[in-house]
Amino acid sequence: MVTTNKKKPSTVTPQIKPLDDCPDWTFELLEQYQTEIARVAEHYRLDTYTNQIEVITAEQMMDAYAGVGMPIGYNHWTFGKKFIQTEQTYKRGQMGLAYEIVINSSPCISYLMEENTMPMQALVMAHACYGHNSFFKGNYLFKSWTDASSIIDYLLFAKNYIANCENKYGIDDVEATLDACHALMNHGVDRYKRPQKISLDEELKRQKEREEYLQSQVNMLWRTEPNANKNNNEPKYKFPSEPQENILYFIEKNAPLLKPWQREIVRIVRKISQYFYPQKQTQVMNEGWACFWHYTILNHLYDEGLVTDKFMLEFLHNHTNVVAQQEYNSKYYSGINPYALGFNMFIDIRRICEHPTKEDKEFFPEIAGSNWLDTLHFAMENFKDESFISQYLSPKLIRDFKLFHIHDDENNNYVEIGAIHNEQGYKKIRHKLADQYNLSNLEVNIQIIDANIDGDRSLTLRYIPHNGTELGDSKEEVLKHLHYLWQFDVKIVQEKNEGEDVIIAQCSDTLKKPE
Amino acid sequence: MANFIDRRLNSKNKSTVNRQRFLRRYKNQIKKSVSDAINKRGVTDIDSGENIVIPKKDMSEPVFHRGSGGINDRVHPGNDQFITGDRIPKPPNQQGQGGGKGDASDSGEGDDDFTFSISKEEYLNLLFEDLELPNLEKNQLDKLIEYKTVRSGFCAEGVASNIDIVKSLQGSIARRIAMTSSKRKQLKEYQQTLDDLQQDKHDHISEERELKKLIQILEEKIAKVPFIDTFDLRFRNFAKQAVPTSKAVMFCLMDVSGSMDQATKEMAKRFYILLYLFLSRTYKNIDVVYIRHHTQAKEVDEHEFFYSQETGGTIASSALQLMNDIITERYDDNQWNIYGAQASDGDNWADDSPLCKSLLIDKILPKTRYFSYIEITQRAHQTLWQQYQQIMETHPHFAIQHIKEAADIYPVFRKLFKKSTKNAA
């Protein structure tokens, strides 16, 4: 396959002797493999944050699971629930633990499980420490939405701040506030504005100022003294002037009765939600990229004679399990496996570059025959799942996966096959599959349209259905949480047939706090 | 670039706080689950934790999500039979029920209940929360019975085996320094003078001889101070300290006459289980004595106690008498915390009830920490209950309760051992 033409670092002896392939790993061996993997990664121009590789036990891995990817989490019962669930299923043997967890931070923290064998550790290092890591550093979403160098500091700040609040205001109030924020967490993201990056020191400094300033702003908005300059006949101005989709942001800035510390907690949840926002949108790409690189890097080492056949067999066994795709009629089928789709797409892009067919030249004139490494890096840096699929899903892959599209209309008593893997279907399948990863289709579209600041202070949200889908049953429960934060009547309206807004859910003062 | 960090020795219980938060939040549901579970246990089965079941809907974390209906487009892999335009009928039960109930489960979770385990300690704590043993504090002071030997400093007399060598040698050094210090001082002076004389150009033979003699005498005197003296010896001292005994005996008294059917016995059994579990929280060693009676009382093992069938009349005093005998014979009330629990359906030979009362008041109650009587019956109370009611008025550590059906057991138990507000204040 590919041979190294570059100057090799001095660590490689001219006479290639395979690395020890015994199943038990040691720290020296980890270092040796890491050095080799790093060398190959550099050869393929993978630009990464410094790696911090932490070896942990299975119990610690379960702790890490419960923290939903946050290395430092504030205390909340939902993490306890997650932990109990994980522990329970793990103990019963219903679920294995992941081999690794990797955190989008700088340095990039990866957790390796103690139980892994040496080939597994090598796989995981190539996958997480060079695959995911370079994705975090290179992809435009991560670049513009998250700041890897400050996230650990920020999480620490959040943990301490919330612990302090618990001491000052009691666990119950803090918990209720967090519950409410978590319910609205998906609606705490700025989809179009880019948040600024700030460091911990700045955050602490600003937090104090913000607390005072925010409260004064809110007081201005809600003050009840008559305004001398204001003419009563003046048409009422609408507030907010434009619909707001970032509900948590709106609450933080405008909720009339929230205490300053509650505003800060709303802000913390909002920030964390924003931090995870790119990960939600790049699952296929991120996993595909990481799988592609562990596969390519370890094969490269094999071609160099650095790893043995024994090593490769164990590696390939695990690799194949990870990127396996069940078919729709298998009892293990649970949707499209993002690892499988992503991995195969990157492999396919490389194929198109290196060995384009006539079909490829027709579908991908720009990349067919180009330098595969340049093309791959470009793809990784400038796309998210949705656009990645609509740009690069090739007819060959559609055939390989035997993809087909099902159209399900509520009004019909049948579902219809919209397209299959044939000439007429390629573009439609590509389009529909890309839509399937479009976050704005997956998450409900709810916006704040009115806060009645002159009257009863009620808050109105509008639900805009996508493809005629109703809002799910939990809406009443979520509204209770929103009511807890807003503390006056809240309601959701939806435009029905005659262009008239109909209230589909509401929560008023007479209803109690969320349980 | 990479740094390796071995975190395996770091604490692994990062989630403990969150787990506690979870338990705290769902305390009511968990407690209910715990009290349901107690009815399914065996008497001696106290070492295991418990599985807790919470209905999933109680602990959902609601978010806005898409409901059903509308138009859904999905792409699936593995087409093996379809061509464009194929129509597949929907399963009939979904038809026309667009806004159907079941929560759309994006996460692939159904409406199953949430089940998890808690440890034995957590289980017992939840089961007996807010309960305490009556009069425990008050009594503990009067009944400091067992003694424990504890170290208590050093003393000048004792047996050879208790000599503390370090202390003794420290004494010896101190004594030797004290006894020889003036002599050493003198010796130093003589030595100095002698040196001076010897430095002198003139001869001082006689003076030198005199001094040497004095020095020799002093050195001998110093040497004569004994290296160790009986005065130096220090012995480790031990004292006896009274500690509250952690032994308890629980007497289970049950009427097994013909009127007690198996269901009633089962209920009594559950009550005993609770009592046993509860006592095991406070005491390390618990003996259980089973006494069953009809017209005569007999000490039996657990199995016979609960499961063997007897017939005949009922004389409750026989059991109390036997209990008293066993206490006298085996369980000195100075060393054992004695608890009694009597269960009956209330039937007793009318003339016997006053005798029970006097037996309890005179003999048993003074020796026991707590005595509880539960009556398991659907009928009206009889003489035994009435007599016992009189005792209750005068004796705070005697309690009676009435159980009608299995569901009453746990509440009744809680009532018996409720944390008294007086003690708390």
Side-chain angles (χ1 to χ4, degrees):
Chain A
M1 240 162 69
V2 184
T3 47
T4 329
N5 303 324
K6 277 181 150 187
K7 284 175 285 173
K8 283 175 191 167
S10 56
T11 46
V12 182
T13 48
Q15 275 172 350
I16 305 273
K17 187 170 157 274
L19 295 167
D20 193 350
D21 61 356
C22 69
D24 294 331
W25 60 269
T26 61
F27 278 99
E28 296 86 74
L29 216 48
L30 282 183
E31 288 278 7
Q32 287 173 22
Y33 273 93
Q34 200 282 131
T35 313
E36 296 302 332
I37 291 168
R39 177 179 58 79
V40 177
E42 202 193 326
H43 168 70
Y44 289 114
R45 307 205 307 262
L46 293 183
D47 181 23
T48 59
Y49 297 117
T50 306
N51 278 303
Q52 179 170 321
I53 302 172
E54 308 194 354
V55 180
I56 61 174
T57 61
E59 283 98 337
Q60 289 169 327
M61 185 56 100
M62 287 194 284
D63 284 334
Y65 259 61
V68 286
M70 291 189 285
I72 304 162
Y74 50 83
N75 291 325
H76 192 251
W77 66 271
T78 48
F79 303 135
K81 174 183 155 189
K82 186 98 202 308
F83 175 76
I84 290 170
Q85 276 174 330
T86 311
E87 192 187 28
Q88 212 63 26
T89 45
Y90 178 63
K91 275 188 184 162
R92 292 191 192 134
Q94 289 166 348
M95 176 191 90
L97 294 174
Y99 303 125
E100 44 72 35
I101 286 185
V102 53
I103 311 282
N104 168 25
S105 63
S106 172
C108 178
I109 303 172
S110 320
Y111 298 115
L112 304 193
M113 260 227 293
E114 172 185 45
E115 280 87 347
N116 296 348
T117 59
M118 190 58 236
M120 281 307 299
Q121 303 288 36
L123 187 161
V124 165
M125 279 193 286
H127 181 92
C129 308
Y130 293 91
H132 285 309
N133 189 346
S134 60
F135 193 86
F136 290 148
K137 194 169 178 187
N139 182 265
Y140 84 105
L141 276 179
F142 287 87
K143 271 186 184 164
S144 51
W145 293 96
T146 65
D147 178 14
S149 61
S150 70
I151 183 64
I152 301 285
D153 282 348
Y154 188 77
L155 290 175
L156 191 65
F157 157 79
K159 183 185 167 76
N160 291 337
Y161 188 85
I162 288 174
N164 276 337
C165 285
E166 283 176 349
N167 285 336
K168 274 195 220 161
Y169 311 107
I171 292 176
D172 289 322
D173 284 351
V174 175
E175 189 171 281
T177 309
L178 279 173
D179 283 349
C181 294
H182 284 183
L184 297 162
M185 201 163 178
N186 290 339
H187 305 273
V189 178
D190 285 322
R191 289 188 168 78
Y192 310 109
K193 274 182 298 187
R194 193 158 65 77
Q196 74 281 35
K197 299 173 176 180
I198 44 169
S199 73
L200 173 67
D201 291 340
E202 245 175 302
E203 184 68 32
L204 279 171
K205 206 171 66 200
R206 285 197 195 175
Q207 184 260 317
K208 201 79 197 135
E209 292 167 16
R210 192 163 56 228
E211 205 166 86
E212 289 151 17
Y213 173 75
L214 264 181
Q215 195 59 48
S216 71
Q217 288 301 296
V218 171
N219 293 343
M220 279 299 285
L221 185 61
W222 296 104
R223 72 174 166 191
T224 47
E225 301 106 71
N227 191 333
N229 301 330
K230 198 174 166 187
N231 187 344
N232 275 347
N233 297 331
E234 206 178 300
K236 277 185 186 174
Y237 72 96
K238 200 168 158 54
F239 185 82
S241 55
E242 286 174 352
Q244 299 290 314
E245 61 162 4
N246 191 337
I247 298 176
L248 283 183
Y249 181 83
F250 186 84
I251 293 285
E252 180 196 333
K253 303 296 179 195
N254 301 307
L257 298 178
L258 274 192
K259 302 193 177 62
W261 64 267
Q262 288 178 304
R263 290 182 205 283
E264 191 64 34
I265 287 182
V266 173
R267 185 182 169 81
I268 286 170
V269 174
R270 193 164 70 71
K271 289 275 168 193
I272 290 172
S273 180
Q274 190 84 60
Y275 167 74
F276 283 117
Y277 185 59
Q279 307 204 358
K280 282 198 228 165
Q281 298 187 80
T282 53
Q283 211 200 354
V284 169
M285 282 184 78
N286 201 345
E287 293 303 348
W289 179 257
C291 288
F292 177 84
W293 284 113
H294 76 229
Y295 181 78
T296 308
I297 290 176
L298 294 182
N299 269 308
H300 185 106
L301 288 178
Y302 179 67
D303 292 342
E304 287 184 345
L306 273 167
V307 294
T308 60
D309 290 345
K310 182 178 148 197
F311 175 97
M312 282 311 274
L313 280 176
E314 181 170 356
F315 153 66
L316 284 171
H317 172 74
N318 282 296
H319 168 77
T320 329
N321 282 346
V322 169
V323 300
Q325 173 65 58
Q326 299 296 328
E327 306 206 322
Y328 80 99
N329 49 5
S330 154
K331 64 174 174 173
Y332 301 109
Y333 177 65
S334 60
I336 289 176
N337 176 359
Y339 292 79
L341 183 62
F343 172 72
N344 283 298
M345 281 186 69
F346 278 112
I347 289 281
D348 195 50
I349 294 173
R350 181 173 178 174
R351 180 194 62 78
I352 293 170
C353 294
E354 290 182 330
H355 312 287
T357 61
K358 191 163 161 277
E359 184 184 54
D360 295 326
K361 282 178 181 150
E362 184 187 324
F363 268 79
F364 305 101
E366 306 87 8
I367 65 167
S370 68
N371 178 312
W372 70 269
L373 196 54
D374 290 342
T375 308
L376 234 63
H377 275 286
F378 179 83
M380 176 273 278
E381 281 161 17
N382 296 297
F383 291 87
K384 57 183 173 183
D385 283 351
E386 179 207 357
S387 53
F388 179 66
I389 290 169
S390 69
Q391 182 75 21
Y392 292 112
L393 187 68
S394 73
K396 175 175 186 294
L397 215 59
I398 295 176
R399 286 193 300 271
D400 288 350
F401 273 86
K402 300 199 186 85
L403 294 176
F404 64 105
H405 161 234
I406 289 184
H407 177 77
D408 175 4
D409 188 332
E410 186 190 8
N411 299 322
N412 299 335
N413 59 357
Y414 56 85
V415 297
E416 190 168 359
I417 305 298
I420 62 165
H421 53 288
N422 61 13
E423 198 77 37
Q424 299 80 41
Y426 294 145
K427 287 198 168 147
K428 187 164 185 186
I429 282 184
R430 187 159 79 178
H431 170 64
K432 292 295 178 192
L433 188 62
D435 262 3
Q436 210 163 307
Y437 289 94
N438 185 346
L439 210 57
S440 57
N441 293 347
L442 296 177
E443 288 186 349
V444 296
N445 184 354
I446 286 190
Q447 299 178 350
I448 293 175
I449 52 167
D450 184 49
N452 187 347
I453 51 172
D454 295 326
D456 62 359
R457 298 184 166 189
S458 68
L459 187 69
T460 310
L461 293 83
R462 169 173 285 139
Y463 169 63
I464 300 154
H466 174 75
N467 279 344
T469 311
E470 297 295 321
L471 191 55
D473 285 337
S474 58
K475 53 184 182 280
E476 304 278 352
E477 283 302 312
V478 184
L479 270 198
K480 284 187 200 166
H481 285 300
L482 182 57
H483 181 264
Y484 177 82
L485 296 173
W486 186 252
Q487 298 183 13
F488 293 96
D489 294 4
V490 289
K491 58 177 179 286
I492 306 178
V493 298
Q494 182 181 346
E495 196 177 286
K496 294 281 164 151
N497 304 336
E498 292 85 30
E500 208 175 303
D501 280 347
V502 178
I503 295 175
I504 54 170
Q506 62 182 333
C507 181
S508 61
D509 275 331
T510 48
L511 293 165
K512 287 292 163 217
K513 282 180 189 176
E515 281 151 30
Chain B
M1 270 288 284
N3 301 314
F4 286 91
I5 301 178
D6 188 357
R7 291 261 188 235
R8 286 171 295 171
L9 297 178
N10 285 24
S11 77
K12 61 185 175 195
N13 294 323
K14 252 166 128 183
S15 297
T16 314
V17 179
N18 290 328
R19 190 169 184 279
Q20 291 306 324
R21 287 285 163 82
F22 176 78
L23 294 185
R24 177 177 175 273
R25 185 181 173 96
Y26 290 100
K27 204 165 196 174
N28 290 332
Q29 286 95 323
I30 293 170
K31 263 185 171 168
K32 187 176 169 299
S33 183
V34 162
S35 56
D36 288 349
I38 185 67
N39 292 339
K40 297 172 201 150
R41 286 193 166 220
V43 179
T44 46
D45 175 23
I46 65 157
D47 286 330
S48 58
E50 189 54 66
N51 279 333
I52 300 297
V53 180
I54 300 178
K56 199 159 236 172
K57 65 173 168 49
D58 288 357
M59 46 180 294
S60 63
E61 301 158 52
V63 290
F64 286 128
H65 65 83
R66 297 177 53 178
S68 52
I71 295 165
N72 282 303
D73 286 306
R74 302 296 293 177
V75 175
H76 299 279
N79 181 16
D80 54 352
Q81 52 182 317
F82 305 117
I83 57 164
T84 313
D86 275 359
R87 288 181 175 180
I88 303 141
K90 291 180 192 173
N93 57 347
Q94 283 184 356
Q95 201 181 329
Q97 200 196 351
K101 263 192 178 174
D103 281 348
S105 58
D106 286 328
S107 50
E109 290 170 352
D111 279 344
D112 296 342
D113 289 342
F114 184 77
T115 308
F116 65 100
S117 310
I118 54 175
S119 69
K120 180 195 166 195
E121 278 72 29
E122 285 170 329
Y123 172 70
L124 292 182
N125 282 338
L126 284 165
L127 197 58
F128 299 120
E129 202 191 40
D130 306 328
L131 299 186
E132 68 172 2
L133 285 168
N135 306 319
L136 188 63
E137 248 170 301
K138 204 167 63 190
N139 288 2
Q140 214 144 42
L141 294 173
D142 338 328
K143 294 202 171 186
L144 297 173
I145 309 312
E146 251 186 332
Y147 290 96
K148 194 169 79 174
T149 321
V150 293
R151 291 282 297 273
S152 81
F154 300 92
C155 62
E157 287 169 17
V159 291
S161 61
N162 282 343
I163 287 178
D164 188 284
I165 293 169
V166 174
K167 267 281 185 223
S168 300
L169 284 179
Q170 278 172 350
S172 150
I173 292 168
R175 178 182 50 79
R176 277 182 280 138
I177 290 170
M179 287 179 75
T180 58
S181 71
S182 61
K183 297 188 184 79
R184 281 175 197 278
K185 213 169 163 186
Q186 189 85 53
L187 185 65
K188 221 173 167 184
E189 274 172 27
Y190 289 155
Q191 204 77 49
Q192 189 63 43
T193 332
L194 184 62
D195 285 353
D196 290 348
L197 288 177
Q198 280 169 343
Q199 299 290 317
D200 204 2
K201 287 168 191 161
H202 307 283
D203 283 347
H204 304 277
I205 297 171
S206 67
E207 284 161 340
E208 278 181 25
R209 189 177 298 154
E210 190 69 21
L211 273 173
K212 278 183 181 162
K213 203 171 169 189
L214 283 170
I215 287 172
Q216 199 189 350
I217 291 168
L218 271 176
E219 278 176 343
E220 277 169 14
K221 274 189 178 169
I222 289 172
K224 270 183 187 160
V225 172
F227 178 75
I228 193 146
D229 193 287
T230 42
F231 176 79
D232 302 330
L233 295 182
R234 289 292 177 275
F235 299 87
R236 286 188 290 259
N237 192 25
F238 294 93
K240 276 188 173 176
Q241 203 176 59
V243 286
T245 170
S246 65
K247 289 189 291 189
V249 57
M250 168 177 146
F251 283 90
C252 299
L253 279 59
M254 187 162 68
D255 180 2
V256 290
S257 61
S259 56
M260 288 284 281
D261 57 13
Q262 196 58 36
T264 318
K265 281 194 214 167
E266 284 290 326
M267 275 197 259
K269 177 181 171 186
R270 284 178 200 163
F271 185 81
Y272 293 133
I273 296 170
L274 277 173
L275 187 60
Y276 183 76
L277 283 172
F278 188 42
L279 291 178
S280 67
R281 267 214 324 173
T282 312
Y283 299 110
K284 265 183 275 174
N285 306 312
I286 306 172
D287 277 11
V288 184
V289 177
Y290 298 99
I291 299 172
R292 57 187 199 128
H293 71 89
H294 36 99
T295 53
Q296 285 172 333
K298 190 179 168 196
E299 190 186 347
V300 294
D301 63 21
E302 184 185 331
H303 188 264
E304 200 177 343
F305 184 69
F306 288 117
Y307 296 107
S308 83
Q309 195 64 49
E310 296 277 344
T311 52
T314 314
I315 299 177
S317 66
S318 63
L320 295 172
Q321 185 61 53
L322 181 61
M323 175 176 169
N324 187 38
D325 293 347
I326 293 174
I327 292 174
T328 327
E329 197 184 315
R330 306 207 307 250
Y331 298 104
D332 179 1
D333 66 319
N334 282 332
Q335 287 178 16
W336 291 83
N337 295 290
I338 299 168
Y339 291 86
Q342 186 183 4
S344 155
D345 59 357
D347 279 349
N348 196 21
W349 185 42
D351 287 357
D352 183 55
S353 296
L355 183 59
C356 290
K357 179 184 165 189
S358 62
L359 257 175
L360 272 170
I361 293 180
D362 298 338
K363 302 225 168 124
I364 295 179
L365 287 180
K367 294 176 190 166
T368 49
R369 282 296 180 90
Y370 194 70
F371 193 100
S372 62
Y373 169 68
I374 52 163
E375 191 162 301
I376 309 164
T377 179
Q378 307 274 8
R379 292 163 297 162
H381 297 304
Q382 296 180 37
T383 52
L384 195 62
W385 178 272
Q386 285 144 14
Q387 294 290 336
Y388 277 5
Q389 254 179 336
Q390 295 167 17
I391 306 179
M392 199 166 69
E393 281 154 23
T394 51
H395 293 75
H397 61 298
F398 179 81
I400 59 176
Q401 285 292 344
H402 181 203
I403 292 177
K404 277 187 184 147
E405 54 192 15
D408 290 346
I409 294 170
Y410 189 58
V412 160
F413 185 84
R414 292 192 72 88
K415 222 191 266 174
L416 281 174
F417 292 96
K418 198 166 54 187
K419 218 174 218 168
S420 73
T421 41
K422 256 186 276 172
N423 281 5

